[in-house]
Amino acid sequence: MRRISVTLLLCGLILANVLFIPLLAQDLKSEFPVKGYHETAPRINDLVHTKLDVRFDYKKRYLYGKEWVTLRPHFYPTDTLRLDAKGMEIHTIAIIKNGKSLPLYFSYDGLSLNIRLNKIYQPAEAYTLYINYTSKPEELKGRRNNEHGLYFVNPDGAEKDKPTQIWTLGEPENNSAWFPTIDKPNQKTTGEISITTLSKYTTLSNGRLASQKNNADGTRTDTWKMELPHSPYLFMMAVGDFKIYKDSWHGKEVSYYMEPKYAPYAKDMFGLVPEAMEFFSKTLGVDFPWNKYAEVVVRDYVGGAMENTTAAIFGGQSTKRELIDSWYNAGIEHELFHQWFGDYVTAESWSNITLNESFADFGEIIWLEHKYGKDAADEHVQQGLQNYLGSSDARTKSLVTFYYKNPKDPFGITYSKGGRILNMLRNYLGDAAFYKGLHIYLTTYAFKNAEVPQLRIAMEEASGLDLNWFFNQWYYGAGHPELNISYKWDDTTKTETVYLQQAQDGIPFVLPVAIDLYAKGSKERHKVWLRDKADTLTFKAASKPDLVNVDADKILVTQKTDNKTLEEYIFQYFNAPLYLDRYEAIEVAAKNQSDKGARKVLIAALKDKFPGLRLKAIGVLNMKHEDIRNADDDLRNAAIPILIELAKTDNNTQVQAAAINTLSVLKDPVNMNVFKQALNSQSYSVAGAALNGIIQLDPTLGMTYAKNFEKDNEGALTQAIISVYATNGGEAQWPFVYNRYKKADFQDQVHLTMRFAGMIGRLTQLKEVQNGIDELKQLGINYKGSGAAPHMIKFLNTIKEQRAKLNDTISVKAANDAIQQINDAK
């Protein structure tokens, strides 16, 4: 490894022409000692203002762009500039001087532009470049589908019932596929985007709509101005046939852009946004920092949702009927919280992306707690914790990492782990100190970038506590504690001993823990610190505690083995207050259903105040038919009347549907009227469960009812219709099954594929068999990167076997060809 003498380097800088300083800085980049290390992008030049004028070629799927970008050297004088520009055709690069354009020399490798400026610019000296270019996002080589930056949806109108749209997705470094920029999060720039499109379309971009101009050729130019600085990856455009529902918050425009079909449901989908803006503003002590907030829903979105400054994009829209079955979905609030954490203050590198994504996840937690109560928030915390513990990165990846291949790699655990780390810090510091720390952080780094140590410093300033130990283990260290907890009561000394072992590899975690002792109708809290791989705690008590509840706040990010007795878990369900206290007790009771106390827990849980736990209790009773018939009579006899009541009257449709599905397994004709009544529900989940129940008792009647729902069905109801058609239907039902499957999004297709494939195996018309095989083939190819290929091949092999039994050699060959094409696809 080549080494550079620091003394010689400094002397060289004094003697050398200043224009070489950036080159030396870049040369030093190669001296990082460990392969794969990602330094923060050097700021040789800073973006100041980005002005774009864009129009589209729908047929070619091109963007024709003109750009005026203003920059200045960050610290060192320089006569060079590097811009990211992926897969473009560059026509002109010039510098604007006194209103004139002077062409500049540049080189371009398809990914970045290296530009020689007309002179050496000093740090305080701004300069403006003009760039004329063509963006060709669909011709990019070696890029994943979610890395094209700019997307054309149905641009030629060939797909019936699908709108024509254009939208962008910039994170992490994809916006440089549609305009040249320094595509790094540690850059901030104001912006102006003029979008020329057909007059019939609506546009949306960052900031305010400054002007609209109708052109003689039937187009219109909308100019959007973003007058506060934000990072390039947060630039956005959306173009399409959108209807706008306008709301407001404290005089600021809040608007929802929806397809005309879904526009009547805009308020149902986004109506809580102003309330959430108020809650977050008051909680943080920082008002929503932008001049407007818009949310647009687009088709075929590849990113789930994206928090573009002032204009978030979402990939799914729903009717009021569909929204009936949505339950505490905080995704909208996730993107809203990003307007503070990510947009207002931005992680200075992808290594620090936890400052964006972990906070957005935390925003979901506090919103659920505020709007729906602590049980709803704690359920979300528990689900995220289980997602994290089950991930392949749980033991090996840290929240802050400087070693990765793709800028998207550091995002991984920042959601599920990071949000819970922040929630744990809030618990440790207390709400007042925690939110004061967030206020300091936001106001100190407003419209700037930050790193994790700066968050720590803000929290230390607020609380007066040293937090290095917390940030070192949770942000820079990988993994989590694996706690094994056991108990011993000594009646002679009246002492309860708690043994806590950390079984994970490596050093122990330092953990502040609350422990509650329940005895003789009272609760006593003890706050302790765990510092070693094995800690032994002792507590004096007048009598043996009914329960020792370690991590009584249920806040630790840990994988826990808690060796309580069944009797202690039963006590815990009825006496400990939190969601996870009851959840843990239900799980243990489910494994001990022959025990009278466990049965008491399960029956009580069917009536739990929180729907998530009612659903959990129904789920553990949802056994196979023969298991239920052989189950304990007391449990079955006690559960069935409650299930019937839940099916009829529960105020949560998911609980209703689960109760109906459990009753369906019984195949008891006495429940037919319950199922028929539930068919009238506005909930697709409830109606779908009811149709399944009828199918179990009377398939012919089920076919009749299914026909009635063909014009209006989604989700569980669609699956129920396809289930009865695939099992009992034929050619007459195939058009519905085929068209519904073809229209479904990927997730719905996953749920429907087994039944869809089964029906293909029984069809008599070869053309229909071929159409079905083609759909499975396309799914396997299009979503090969998501793991769909082996599943589609398995289904195609099953179809092949079924067609071979019918001596259908043509379809056997078609299935073989489809399998081969899936295998060959890249």
Side-chain angles (χ1 to χ4, degrees), residues 27 100 124 147 171 198 217 411 419 462 563 620 714 744 800:
D27 189 46
K100 296 182 179 180
E147 294 177 337
E171 192 177 45
L198 295 175
D217 60 356
F411 284 67
N563 296 289
V620 300
E714 295 292 341
K800 188 171 67 174

Side-chain angles (χ1 to χ4, degrees), residues 460-752:
E460 290 179 336
E461 181 180 342
S463 66
L465 300 176
D466 175 71
L467 294 172
N468 278 289
W469 65 272
F470 185 94
F471 279 79
N472 285 344
Q473 70 182 11
W474 289 116
Y475 281 86
Y476 296 100
H480 51 270
E482 297 175 17
L483 282 180
N484 190 303
I485 310 168
S486 56
Y487 310 87
K488 180 183 177 183
W489 169 253
D490 188 325
D491 197 52
T492 302
T493 61
K494 303 298 182 184
T495 303
E496 178 74 26
T497 303
V498 183
Y499 303 96
L500 299 109
Q501 292 185 312
Q502 296 192 36
Q504 75 278 0
D505 293 335
I507 62 175
F509 282 75
V510 176
L511 304 171
V513 179
I515 299 179
D516 286 348
L517 268 64
Y518 291 79
K520 293 187 175 181
S522 64
K523 179 179 75 173
E524 184 179 279
R525 170 154 293 195
H526 299 268
K527 293 186 176 182
V528 301
W529 286 81
L530 307 183
R531 302 181 185 276
D532 300 311
K533 273 300 193 74
D535 285 284
T536 301
L537 308 175
T538 58
F539 306 96
K540 291 293 184 179
S543 60
K544 184 180 186 305
D546 299 301
L547 173 68
V548 179
N549 198 4
V550 176
D551 185 24
D553 289 332
K554 297 295 179 280
I555 200 73
L556 292 181
V557 176
T558 181
Q559 188 167 331
K560 182 174 64 173
T561 302
D562 200 339
N563 296 289
K564 295 189 184 91
T565 65
L566 174 59
E567 289 72 22
E568 288 167 331
Y569 274 112
I570 293 168
F571 182 92
Q572 179 172 306
Y573 179 84
F574 292 104
N575 294 276
L578 300 181
Y579 164 87
L580 196 53
D581 292 318
R582 283 136 52 214
Y583 180 94
E584 290 174 349
I586 293 169
E587 285 215 312
V588 173
K591 299 172 184 175
N592 295 274
Q593 295 190 27
S594 61
D595 181 88
K596 183 177 180 180
R599 294 197 300 271
K600 184 180 177 183
V601 168
L602 296 176
I603 294 302
L606 290 173
K607 303 176 184 178
D608 195 280
K609 65 178 181 177
F610 182 63
L613 291 178
R614 297 198 296 276
L615 199 62
K616 173 71 175 175
I618 293 170
V620 300
L621 294 174
N622 194 8
M623 305 177 241
K624 295 180 181 178
H625 172 62
E626 61 272 14
D627 292 334
I628 286 183
R629 288 300 186 188
N630 295 328
D632 182 274
D633 285 343
D634 290 343
L635 179 60
R636 180 165 53 85
N637 292 337
I640 289 174
I642 301 172
L643 290 170
I644 292 172
E645 189 63 24
L646 293 174
K648 290 179 178 180
T649 64
D650 198 274
N651 60 7
N652 184 282
T653 58
Q654 291 191 26
V655 174
Q656 275 189 284
I660 293 168
N661 281 326
T662 300
L663 292 172
S664 298
V665 178
L666 291 170
K667 296 184 180 179
D668 191 338
V670 76
N671 293 319
M672 178 61 90
N673 286 335
V674 176
F675 301 151
K676 287 182 178 179
Q677 178 185 337
L679 282 177
N680 297 318
S681 173
Q682 283 296 296
S683 160
Y684 289 122
S685 292
V686 172
L691 182 57
N692 274 326
I694 293 170
I695 292 166
Q696 296 295 323
L697 296 173
D698 188 341
T700 302
L701 182 61
M703 287 281 288
T704 302
Y705 281 122
K707 181 71 177 174
N708 297 335
F709 287 115
E710 282 191 7
K711 291 184 179 179
D712 184 7
N713 59 89
E714 295 292 341
L717 183 54
T718 303
Q719 293 176 41
I721 296 171
I722 290 181
S723 177
V724 66
Y725 283 176
T727 305
N728 301 289
E731 251 69 23
Q733 288 73 38
W734 172 250
F736 170 83
V737 174
Y738 174 71
N739 290 322
R740 198 64 185 79
Y741 185 84
K742 192 172 182 178
K743 282 173 54 181
D745 61 26
F746 174 59
Q747 289 301 323
D748 284 341
Q749 285 179 322
V750 168
H751 293 301
L752 298 171

